[in-house]
Amino acid sequence: MGDFFERIVDVEVTGEEAGPLAERMVDWMVTEGLITRETSGDGVYSANVDEGHVPGANWARAVADSSDPNWRPGPVAVIVGRGHHCGGQGEDEAEYAVCPRCETKIVIIDYPESFEADEEVWRPFRDALTAWKDTGEGSVPCSACGARVPVAEWRWEPAFAVGALAFDFWGWPPLSARFCAEFSRQLGHRTAEQTGKF
């Protein structure tokens, strides 16, 4: 069985801006009645976060289909801090990354030939991610154009995102495209969306 989540990651916010922006987004969702200030750990399995905000009376405004009267969504966990986020079922490497300077797609996991990351290709990304998480600085040279690109600026496959702020909606029906667009507008940044299962 398992527990499902849908995640929205802010891929542009800085580590310093993430905390205040998280508070502002919680205020907005509370005002809209999507969540409450009450928190619970029931069904929350987010990285580094043990509790999330309990859904509010208007939670159905955020989802594409709320026709099932028995559906009770779980908490919304707010994850503040630089990190990488994976959808799916716990994969920890990206399938590919796209250089924002030259648009070259760097293949990290060569599906269907392989189901594991090419260690030589993945290592510079992994090292840069570690440095970025620790210091806010970390870059990877593009093997095609040679540009040293900050790891947070690379464009990743949909199940992998790099950012300093994320929101996990545990056990919610699929979020609507309209809500996701409004969420991104409220953040003021580009976002990535993921689904997954714990």
Side-chain angles (χ1 to χ4, degrees):
M1 198 93 168
D3 292 272
F4 293 85
F5 66 86
E6 190 162 356
R7 176 180 294 137
I8 300 175
V9 183
D10 185 321
V11 297
E12 295 180 335
V13 68
T14 67
E16 296 71 31
E17 298 167 333
L21 183 54
E23 291 176 14
R24 188 168 62 75
M25 290 301 291
V26 167
D27 289 344
W28 172 70
M29 287 190 283
V30 168
T31 299
E32 294 293 312
L34 304 173
I35 61 173
T36 69
R37 296 214 178 268
E38 179 187 352
T39 60
S40 170
D42 291 343
V44 174
Y45 305 99
S46 300
N48 305 318
V49 177
D50 296 327
E51 293 188 336
H53 292 271
V54 173
N58 298 330
W59 67 266
R61 292 181 183 173
V63 304
D65 181 3
S66 61
S67 61
D68 183 348
N70 297 315
W71 197 307
R72 297 291 175 257
V76 177
V78 182
I79 305 164
V80 177
R82 291 185 293 265
H84 69 280
H85 303 274
C86 303
Q89 287 188 277
E91 298 84 358
D92 201 37
E93 297 95 5
E95 181 181 343
Y96 63 82
V98 177
C99 174
R101 308 293 191 262
C102 70
E103 301 297 319
T104 297
K105 180 179 177 179
I106 308 297
V107 175
I108 298 166
I109 303 175
D110 190 15
Y111 291 124
E113 300 301 318
S114 175
F115 292 92
E116 295 182 4
D118 180 319
E119 180 59 24
E120 190 173 323
V121 176
W122 178 239
R123 184 182 303 110
F125 289 101
R126 184 184 61 227
D127 293 347
L129 282 166
T130 299
W132 177 74
K133 288 177 198 176
D134 292 343
T135 68
E137 301 288 335
S139 61
V140 180
C142 176
S143 59
C145 70
R148 286 200 71 85
V149 180
V151 72
E153 293 181 19
W154 284 81
R155 293 197 309 270
W156 306 92
E157 51 113 346
F160 192 93
V162 174
L165 179 59
F167 300 83
D168 285 357
F169 294 76
W170 283 99
W172 287 50
L175 300 175
S176 71
R178 181 177 178 181
F179 172 73
C180 291
E182 178 60 24
F183 202 90
S184 184
R185 277 193 294 275
Q186 292 292 328
L187 285 166
H189 298 132
R190 189 167 51 87
T191 58
E193 296 160 30
Q194 301 174 335
T195 58
K197 177 182 176 183
F198 178 79

